[in-house]
Amino acid sequence: MAYAVLKRSSMMKSMTTGIGESWRRFASVAVGSDLVAAAPNVSLQKARTWDEGVSSQFSTTPLSDIFKGKKVVIFGLPGAFTGVCTAQHVPSYKKNIDKFKAKGVDSVICVSVNDPYTMNGWADKLEAKEAIEFYGDFDGKFHKSLDLELDLSAALLGHRSTRWSAFVEDGKVKVLNVENVPSEFKVSGGEKEDEEIQVSVTAECL
């Protein structure tokens, strides 16, 4: 059983390595990009129960409401309830929330190509809703607009996003970290993001 899991993991990494490297060469989002302008007419769906969705008439949140006039840490990941996302990625931001707030960050956001109801259930399971805002990108338009989409059909996930993180101020990307492949967790975690925000803030003060 363990061998089968390891074999699937190795196969997944080999199948996505080339995809990830190709993506990084052609991604449209970069430091200095305006996320709102890069994804015009795109909205995200805040995590909620089905009943809350019905009562809100399935409302969505424009990117301008999320980013404009705010300092935001945002991280994207392949999917709710998946391995690295659950065990490492979200917990790394939950653990560092006080550091982000001390640097004047208004909100820490997790986004994934999932519906908002799945994101809500996952956030509840992780006990992270008080620290992190969870949003669904149910049709993948946000990630497609930024060229952050990735085909993970090999893992039965279909079209999702790669693993990434950014520090965004008034809509402009100040820090951007993208993993080479979605199975890796080297540059997009909460600790790394906190360090790079400090570097960015220090550089602006010089």
Side-chain angles (χ1 to χ4, degrees), residues 147-162:
D147 287 337
L148 289 166
E149 181 192 30
L150 204 58
D151 186 353
L152 296 177
S153 296
L156 308 181
L157 291 171
H159 288 267
R160 298 294 183 119
S161 78
T162 191

Side-chain angles (χ1 to χ4, degrees), residues 84-99:
V84 176
C85 305
T86 299
Q88 294 177 272
H89 210 168
V90 172
S92 75
Y93 283 86
K94 180 182 176 182
K95 182 172 63 176
N96 285 280
I97 193 66
D98 289 339
K99 293 181 180 179

Side-chain angles (χ1 to χ4, degrees), residues 2 6 40 52 66 96 110 123-124 146 179:
L6 178 61
E52 288 170 338
I66 296 173
N96 285 280
C110 173
D124 281 341
L146 305 179
E179 304 289 353

Side-chain angles (χ1 to χ4, degrees), residues 122-194:
W122 188 43
D124 281 341
K125 183 177 178 62
L126 293 172
E127 299 180 345
K129 290 175 72 174
E130 291 187 9
I132 300 169
E133 296 179 23
F134 287 76
Y135 284 86
D137 176 24
F138 82 96
D139 54 5
K141 285 184 178 179
F142 176 64
H143 287 94
K144 288 177 185 175
S145 297
L146 305 179
D147 287 337
L148 289 166
E149 181 192 30
L150 204 58
D151 186 353
L152 296 177
S153 296
L156 308 181
L157 291 171
H159 288 267
R160 298 294 183 119
S161 78
T162 191
R163 190 179 305 283
W164 63 283
S165 65
F167 172 52
V168 183
E169 189 171 351
D170 193 28
K172 299 290 181 65
V173 177
K174 298 292 187 178
V175 173
L176 177 66
N177 293 301
V178 185
E179 304 289 353
N180 279 314
V181 293
S183 57
E184 290 184 351
F185 182 66
K186 297 178 180 180
V187 300
S188 63
E191 294 83 0
K192 182 71 173 177
E193 193 71 16
D194 176 64

Side-chain angles (χ1 to χ4, degrees), residues 15-64:
M15 292 179 75
T16 58
T17 296
I19 297 172
E21 290 174 351
S22 174
W23 169 84
R24 293 196 72 176
R25 287 196 294 271
F26 299 105
S28 64
V29 65
V31 171
S33 296
D34 186 320
L35 290 189
V36 179
N41 303 315
V42 171
S43 296
L44 296 176
Q45 311 85 46
K46 194 162 189 178
R48 72 198 82 171
T49 64
W50 175 258
D51 288 344
E52 288 170 338
V54 172
S55 65
S56 69
Q57 297 183 335
F58 304 108
S59 64
T60 60
T61 306
L63 295 184
S64 57

Side-chain angles (χ1 to χ4, degrees), residues 14 36 74 92 113:
S14 66
V36 179
I74 182 170
S92 75
V113 183

